[in-house]
Amino acid sequence: MRSALCSNKQWRANPMADGMYEVIALIPETSDFSLEVALKHFGSLKSGSTRLRAEAAVGPGKRKPSGFRVYYGDWAIVAWLEADKSVLEDSRELANRDNLPAPTEVVSTCSRRLSVWSDEDPGFDHTDEFNSFTDELRARFGVLIYDNVNGEWWT
């Protein structure tokens, strides 16, 4: 099994007991993140020689997309956009933790977040893909990744 902690001290994907990866991604107010821009960005990327497939995701009981899904072959990651009152409350609470990846005022004012989940990966074959996905979110949109399972920020 691959280690959750890389040699460069950056946190990396560690599957949950059910074989799925899960993190939240706080979206700073200065980010230009939108579902449309995310779809365009991820749809322009390749994994090896294969272009990633990105599509809008419609949640249960919803009429319009509330997230997006990115396919790495037949395995996928879905990110659900949340922007209700509880997101800001949770961000303020997370801003009180140690080792923040950004200034307190940036973390505490995040009013949007992505709840990121993967398909099952019982053989740990897709750790690199999950890490690549979260790295893209951070590099392109400046999101702040928090791992609820380990209770740690990814930096």
Side-chain angles (χ1 to χ4, degrees), residues 3-40:
S3 172
L5 189 59
C6 291
S7 60
N8 65 359
K9 303 291 184 196
Q10 291 185 344
W11 287 99
R12 289 303 188 200
N14 191 16
M16 298 178 354
D18 60 2
M20 296 172 65
Y21 304 101
E22 171 197 357
V23 295
I24 60 170
L26 298 181
I27 304 169
E29 294 302 305
T30 56
S31 176
D32 69 341
F33 179 86
S34 72
L35 293 177
E36 296 79 19
V37 175
L39 284 168
K40 184 177 179 180

Side-chain angles (χ1 to χ4, degrees), residues 3-154:
S3 172
L5 189 59
C6 291
S7 60
N8 65 359
K9 303 291 184 196
Q10 291 185 344
W11 287 99
R12 289 303 188 200
N14 191 16
M16 298 178 354
D18 60 2
M20 296 172 65
Y21 304 101
E22 171 197 357
V23 295
I24 60 170
L26 298 181
I27 304 169
E29 294 302 305
T30 56
S31 176
D32 69 341
F33 179 86
S34 72
L35 293 177
E36 296 79 19
V37 175
L39 284 168
K40 184 177 179 180
H41 175 72
F42 281 97
S44 72
L45 301 177
K46 289 185 175 183
S47 178
S49 62
T50 306
R51 184 164 304 283
L52 298 180
R53 184 170 54 125
E55 64 183 33
V58 179
K62 305 282 184 181
R63 293 183 183 254
K64 63 181 186 173
S66 55
F68 67 100
R69 183 174 284 109
V70 177
Y71 288 90
Y72 293 81
D74 61 354
W75 186 82
I77 299 167
V78 65
W80 297 106
L81 180 61
E82 300 171 284
D84 57 41
K85 183 180 174 182
S86 68
V87 173
L88 189 55
E89 292 169 1
D90 291 346
S91 294
R92 289 178 180 149
E93 184 178 316
L94 286 170
N96 292 320
R97 297 191 183 236
D98 292 330
N99 302 319
L100 295 178
T104 302
E105 55 274 4
V106 172
V107 176
S108 67
T109 59
C110 291
S111 62
R112 299 178 298 156
R113 72 175 166 222
L114 295 169
S115 180
V116 181
W117 297 78
S118 76
D119 284 348
E120 290 184 9
D121 186 21
F124 311 112
D125 299 322
H126 297 284
T127 302
D128 291 343
E129 287 89 348
F130 193 80
N131 289 335
S132 176
F133 181 86
T134 57
D135 287 347
E136 283 296 327
L137 284 175
R138 291 193 304 176
R140 172 58 184 86
F141 299 106
V143 304
L144 309 171
I145 305 291
Y146 186 75
D147 185 336
N148 280 320
V149 175
N150 292 324
E152 297 286 341
W153 293 100
W154 288 7

